[in-house]
């Protein structure tokens, strides 16, 4: 039996998810490309900059667990928009000199961006699970993995290209700003999928009006 093709709406939804994730991950890697400039501007040594980078990653890891729990409780669509905004607004502000006059201010904005980055992992996969049927889910997941890798390459490339000519801050603005209107369009365009609607075992029941109510609880973390 031939596999059904993705609908136009599914392709558009996946494209939006791909671009939003790509830009968020591009922000993640910018710092590694501008370490000499940061050291020069703030007089910070390698240890200090390493701590900031590590804190960014650790905050993201912790928030992945938290958002994974929350994503099972509410609207994944709006939660995804929220984590994009949480990640990109601090990214944009990092590119504004007024908000990054000190190394402490820079570190604080990077930690806020880390919250958004950590949230996008579990929320985006939760969205994929209910937007795409089983026969398309592996393809959708592969595109998301590609977005993470390509985003990292783009972040380093943009920062490396712009820094010598325009300074290190501009790359944060150019990477972060486009994601704001894209996330808002995603919120308006996509519909919140009923949980479990793409599972063969539940699809017929959900079409009859039943609701899948199973949710994670704290005991499950053990």
């Amino acid at each position: 039996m031939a596999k059904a093709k993705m609908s136009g709406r599914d392709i558009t939804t996946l494209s939006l998810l791909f671009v939003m994730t790509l830009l968020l991950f591009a922000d993640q890697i910018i710092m590694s490309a501008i370490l000499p400039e940061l050291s020069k501007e703030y007089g910070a040594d390698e240890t200090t900059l390493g701590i900031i980078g590590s804190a960014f990653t650790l905050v993201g890891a912790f928030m992945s667990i938290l958002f994974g729990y929350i994503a099972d409780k509410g609207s994944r669509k709006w939660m995804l928009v929220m984590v994009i905004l949480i990640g990109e607004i601090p990214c944009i502000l990092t590119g504004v000199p007024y908000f990054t006059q000190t190394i402490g201010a820079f570190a604080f904005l990077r930690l806020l961006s880390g919250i958004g980055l950590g949230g996008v992992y579990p929320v985006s996969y939760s969205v994929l699970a209910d937007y795409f049927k089983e026969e398309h889910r592996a393809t959708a997941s592969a595109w998301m993995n590609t977005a993470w890798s390509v985003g990292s390459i783009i972040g380093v490339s943009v920062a490396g290209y712009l820094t010598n000519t325009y300074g290190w801050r501009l790359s944060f603005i150019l990477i972060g700003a486009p994601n704001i209107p894209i996330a808002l369009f995603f919120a308006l365009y996509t519909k919140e999928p009923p949980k479990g609607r793409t599972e063969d075992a539940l699809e017929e029941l959900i079409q009859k009006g039943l609701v899948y109510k199973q949710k994670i609880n704290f005991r499950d973390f053990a």
Side-chain angles (χ1 to χ4, degrees):
M1 182 176 179
K3 183 173 72 172
K5 294 182 178 180
M6 282 191 191
S7 68
R9 192 174 192 88
D10 285 346
I11 293 174
T12 302
T13 299
L14 180 58
S15 299
L16 290 170
L17 287 168
F18 177 86
V19 174
M20 288 190 299
T21 305
L22 182 150
L23 291 174
L24 194 60
F25 270 78
D27 161 41
Q28 171 202 15
I29 207 70
I30 290 176
M31 184 176 169
S32 64
I34 58 171
L35 291 176
E37 287 73 19
L38 294 175
S39 179
K40 181 179 180 180
E41 174 149 346
Y42 296 120
D45 56 24
E46 293 181 357
T47 300
T48 300
L49 295 176
I51 291 173
I52 294 174
S54 298
F56 173 90
T57 302
L58 290 173
V59 166
F62 174 78
M63 295 310 296
S64 289
I65 299 174
L66 179 61
F67 274 103
Y69 178 79
I70 298 174
D72 199 41
K73 305 292 184 179
S75 168
R76 282 76 50 79
K77 180 186 81 169
W78 286 107
M79 198 169 298
L80 182 60
V81 173
M82 182 179 70
V83 298
I84 294 295
L85 296 180
I86 290 174
E88 297 296 24
I89 290 175
C91 176
I92 296 169
L93 295 180
T94 302
V96 180
Y98 177 81
F99 294 103
T100 51
Q101 296 182 33
T102 66
I103 187 68
F106 174 85
F108 177 70
L109 290 175
R110 295 311 294 154
L111 291 180
L112 291 180
S113 290
I115 293 174
L117 186 70
V120 79
Y121 277 104
V123 179
S124 61
Y125 271 115
S126 181
V127 169
L128 288 180
D130 286 330
Y131 262 111
F132 300 97
K133 292 183 176 293
E134 292 181 14
E135 62 263 32
H136 299 141
R137 205 170 296 153
T139 299
S141 298
W143 276 105
M144 295 302 289
N145 287 331
T146 302
W148 299 338
S149 301
V150 174
S152 298
I153 295 172
I154 289 178
V156 171
S157 300
V158 170
Y161 178 77
L162 295 176
T163 296
N164 289 336
T165 305
Y166 301 102
W168 60 266
R169 288 181 170 86
L170 181 60
S171 55
F172 286 100
I173 297 175
L174 293 182
I175 291 295
N179 229 1
I180 303 298
I182 294 173
L184 295 178
F185 178 76
F186 175 84
L188 295 173
Y189 178 80
T190 59
K191 299 178 180 179
E192 179 70 23
K195 291 185 177 180
R197 77 176 181 95
T198 57
E199 302 298 331
D200 291 339
L202 300 175
E203 186 176 9
E204 184 176 346
L205 296 175
I206 291 174
Q207 288 176 352
K208 291 180 179 179
L210 299 180
V211 178
Y212 180 71
K213 296 182 178 181
Q214 179 65 35
K215 297 181 184 297
I216 195 171
N217 58 60
F218 282 111
R219 294 191 302 272
D220 295 327
F221 280 93

